[in-house]
Amino acid sequence: MRVGIGHDLHRLQPGGPLRIGGIDIPHDRNSIGHSDGDALLHAVIDALLGAAALGDVGLMFPDTDPENRGRDSAEMLTAALEAVAALGWRIANIDCIIFAQRPKLLPHRQTIRQRLADVLQIEVERVGLQAKTGEGIGAIGHEEAIAAQCVALLERLGIGD
Ligand code: MG
């Protein structure tokens, strides 16, 4: 078994929608990024790559490569999943936290979990998702940024490690 951790933060700017967890949420701010700015999917990518000791999202998809501009992070996550699977690893579970002062994420929680499960080709029961505000302070609380964290556990069936 292998465990990996991922963390990401993106600055916010006026204008929606907010891209998070592979879906667009109606909101008055959006995430600035070289790709689609999806902090949660980038954290999941880093957790998977980290668990397999394959580096991180910046290594796999350099922001110096014009190909990655505006890129769909779900496509990047699929590529990361394939790289991990090529080494024989499959996902036991992931657990994620989104840090955002607004909007309320609870109404979107199941949609995001299902989207993650679909992209990762695992049962939704293997996808944990939590949401926290910034308690009105700091970059998160002042709605200057959105962040996400993810822990991933990988297993290699029948190999015993
Ligand atoms: Mg990112």
Side-chain angles (χ1 to χ4, degrees):
M1 309 238 278
R2 294 287 189 274
V3 67
I5 187 168
H7 174 91
D8 196 24
L9 179 145
H10 281 257
R11 285 184 291 123
L12 296 172
Q13 66 186 357
L18 179 65
R19 181 80 164 180
I20 189 76
I23 66 167
D24 284 321
I25 295 177
H27 191 43
D28 55 12
R29 289 176 193 239
N30 69 86
S31 181
I32 304 170
H34 186 75
S35 63
D36 62 5
D38 194 322
L40 178 55
L41 292 198
H42 294 175
V44 176
I45 291 169
D46 280 356
L48 294 182
L49 294 179
L54 288 174
D56 62 24
V57 65
L59 197 64
M60 186 172 254
F61 302 99
D63 63 9
T64 49
D65 186 346
E67 284 251 314
N68 296 327
R69 180 169 293 280
R71 192 165 188 159
D72 180 356
S73 294
E75 188 188 304
M76 294 157 64
L77 180 54
T78 299
L81 177 68
E82 284 169 358
V84 166
L87 296 177
W89 297 111
R90 50 159 262 180
I91 298 169
N93 76 299
I94 64 168
D95 191 19
C96 310
I97 311 174
I98 300 170
F99 299 86
Q101 189 65 33
R102 286 191 312 126
K104 287 249 179 279
L105 293 168
L106 188 60
H108 308 285
R109 184 169 172 274
Q110 297 304 344
T111 308
I112 293 174
R113 285 181 72 214
Q114 190 61 58
R115 177 77 175 127
L116 285 173
D118 290 346
V119 175
L120 295 172
Q121 300 166 46
I122 55 177
E123 301 93 337
V124 73
E125 290 75 18
R126 294 177 185 269
V127 179
L129 181 62
Q130 313 169 40
K132 305 282 181 197
T133 71
E135 293 289 337
I137 58 169
I140 304 292
H142 292 143
E143 301 181 47
E144 295 165 357
I146 184 169
Q149 294 177 351
C150 177
V151 171
L153 186 68
L154 303 182
E155 56 190 356
R156 213 153 27 184
L157 295 183
I159 296 180
D161 70 345

